[in-house]
Amino acid sequence: MAVMANNKDAKNSMDTSKYVRYTSEQVEALERVYSECPKPSSLRRQQLIRECPILSNIEPKQIKVWFQNRRCREKQRKEASRLQTVNRKLTAMNKLLMEENDRLQKQVSQLVYENGYMRQQLQNASVAATDTSCESVVTSGQHQHNPTPQHPPRDASPAGLLSIAEETLAEFLSKAKGAAVDWVQMPGMKPGPDSIGIVAISNTCNGVAARACGLVGLDPTKVAEILKDRPSWLRDCRCLDVLTAFPTGNGGTIELLYMQTYAATTLASARDFWTLRYTTVLEDGSLVVCERSLSGTQGGPSIPPVQHFVRAEMLPSGYLIQPCEGGGSIIRIVDHMDLEPWSVPEVLRPLYESSTVLAQKMTIAALRRLRQIAQEATGEVVFGWGRQPAVLRTFSQRLSRGFNEAVNGFTDDGWSLLGSDGVEDVTIAINSSPNKHFASQVNASNGLTTLGGGILCAKASMLLQNVPPALLVRFLREHRSEWADSNIDAYSAAALKASPYSVPGSRAGGFSGSQVILPLAHTVEHEEFLEVIKLEGHGLTQEEAVLSRDMFLLQLCSGIDENAAGACAELVFAPIDESFADDAPLLPSGFRVIPLESRTDGSGGPNRTLDLASALEVGSAGARTSGDSGANSNLRSVLTIAFQFTYESHLRENVAAMARQYVRSVVASVQRVAMALAPSRLSAHVGPRPPPGTPEALTLARWICQSYRLHIGVDLFRADCEASESVLKLLWHHSDAIMCCSVKSLPVFTFANQAGLDMLETTLVALQDISLDKILDENGRKSFFTDYGQIIQQGYAYLPAGICLSSMGRPASYDRAIAWKVLNDEDSTHCIVFMFMNWSFM
């Protein structure tokens, strides 16, 4: 019995040493230490026992075990929370996918029904008598063509505006639930738990439209508050003014808004919108914010056009926000607009006709902002340099806004154009009221606003071929020395001082100091980076050693994901001083590259120009049809450059000359970089492969060479090149710009070789939209019309040296030109060919 008692006492002693019960005071003390240091060292644990008497009866080993268990519980809690979040996302995404699947099923059923109905109508029309056939056709027409509903006249009274609001709500809900518009999934956007959402674009509709569904970890009221503050997340939004607002009887709110948006390039006008916004709650608890333009067709109040803005139309759009079980919201976004593409140059119209561009700039941007704020609230996003997320977002917005202001140069901000130096490739704008320009970001006592002069902006736009925007911007970001001038950077940095340095001379050399990229912040999906660029060892001259210390730039880089369809790539930067204050003045400069996505239209048949484009498409695995020729135009992009400088009044002309020369040198550097980055469009061992049934390219090449030999008496190429494939290849690779022009009262181009396309900065598909009078200067037009009779009678004429303008407005000089008449096989005049010799951009 004594042995058994001893064994029992030993077991109880062992259990006491293995399992320790902590009092609430002991747990509280340990939790305080854990919040400061989750993994204390042995010395720290011993110090804890000495400093806390309530822990003196606990062994250090037991305290070590407590911290191990506490870390394990924390890890399990986080994992459980993560799995619950993933489960909620999967549940919500499953619900969205089921709804999308139901919509597609209904669409398929509707198409099958319509297909059967049309088949029945065709059968009835083919077997019926003449009168019966006519009656059937009339009946069919009545069934298919629904007359446009005529709305009763409505005024600006609350009742009239409520009628418009309810109509807008009905149309928006129809689009949000997948009806009213033929939606197709946006390229590159795959739904999943980690994706931003389900994104679709319109297949065929009036204007451009995009639709997105997603899950965000914010309550519906917060989501609506963020999205209604459009200038905070839509980078293209210049201002949004609520002119009037009043409640409705059903608990909703009606607002009349005026919004202005920036133009993306220097070649187009900005847009503005006059809209009605309706906020209400549906019977199922969903929050709705819908909006549409007010125009003569809907009735209601109107405002006059605003100078320098093109009035665009917002068709019923908005947000449907549903509360989600377990927290968060399911949101459906619809953006539907008519951006009036007729008002921009032909080469830029794809920007205003592409639903993909709208989705990237507006729809996806809204989802990204919601997701960013939700993750910032949970602490999942880590920012550097001790800055709060709101401060860093403000820096990004100020950089983007400042660059947009520079590109647009609105007169109400104080901008005015400065006279050119005779060449229109670079536009110079000045702002002699910097206090007005910087009123939104700095006070009058800070840096830039103390100057006695103003701000000068030099900007230019150009067309790029076969260079992905993301690749070009990434190269410009990582290899600043390939295009930047250290003297100009130093001059820009000196503008932050009280006494700016004298105007430097731009030089063609490389960057003198090294570049270090210091990450500052990035968005959740890494589509945008905010960083500080450290330029080491900077100086104007050896004597002015005061500027030889390090220089800093605040830089915003976005759109460098090559897989993002329709995404704009930007590199915007501004000099900052070492203090980097939250209210530091910023004078942004930079680059913007926008892809041009052509809108395909299968209704028209192939024409000569499209056939030639297909015939000269090289490098594919086989022959291509004319319908594929639009793929070539997708490789085009528009580059916009804007650089801002400060100046003192007595140095304005000097700064303008320096800025003009610098932008031209940057343009030349970017062109050189673009040519190096562009993939080879014409393989050295593969010649043009005309598709079957389209001999126009081969035939035209033969006619051009035969007519040249007939009129001028010499061969355009070597005499041993007799095969038609070789002639077409030599014509395409010829170093001089060769262009075919129609014989009409208003001649337009129908074909050009590669040098001709480079000179005009266009493609074969877009070539037919360019007329001869648009590229020739005044002297060139006079010379052509003087010699036109000689070309028709004699067959050819030599034209003196002159200047041509590309489709982007850039001047190109040539030493001389020759024009000759092209005869077909029946000796009839087919076209006139121009060959511009030794051309180059000025």
Side-chain angles (χ1 to χ4, degrees), residues 264 368 420 438 442 454 490 560 581 634 644 647 667 686 752 778 816:
R368 282 174 174 161
S420 68
F438 286 99
V442 295
I560 58 175
N634 288 339
Q644 296 192 81
Y647 69 89
V667 167
V686 179
E778 185 177 355
R816 64 169 184 162

Side-chain angles (χ1 to χ4, degrees), residues 272-333:
D272 65 349
F273 298 83
W274 168 239
T275 62
L276 177 146
R277 185 167 68 189
Y278 182 36
T279 305
T280 187
V281 178
L282 302 181
E283 294 180 356
D284 62 355
S286 299
L287 182 60
V288 177
V289 181
C290 56
E291 189 175 354
R292 81 176 306 162
S293 287
L294 292 173
S295 60
T297 57
Q298 285 86 32
S302 62
I303 60 173
V306 179
Q307 189 179 12
H308 306 305
F309 285 87
V310 174
R311 183 64 48 83
E313 181 182 5
M314 179 183 294
L315 288 87
S317 308
Y319 318 108
L320 173 60
I321 312 166
Q322 298 173 288
C324 186
E325 295 181 5
S329 305
I330 298 176
I331 180 172
R332 291 172 174 82
I333 302 177

Side-chain angles (χ1 to χ4, degrees), residues 63 99 118 145 186 196 216 267 272 289 328 401 454 553 652:
I63 292 181
E99 292 178 357
M118 292 302 297
H145 302 285
M186 182 174 170
I196 196 169
V216 294
L267 305 174
D272 65 349
V289 181
R401 183 180 181 86
L553 300 173
R652 190 184 75 175

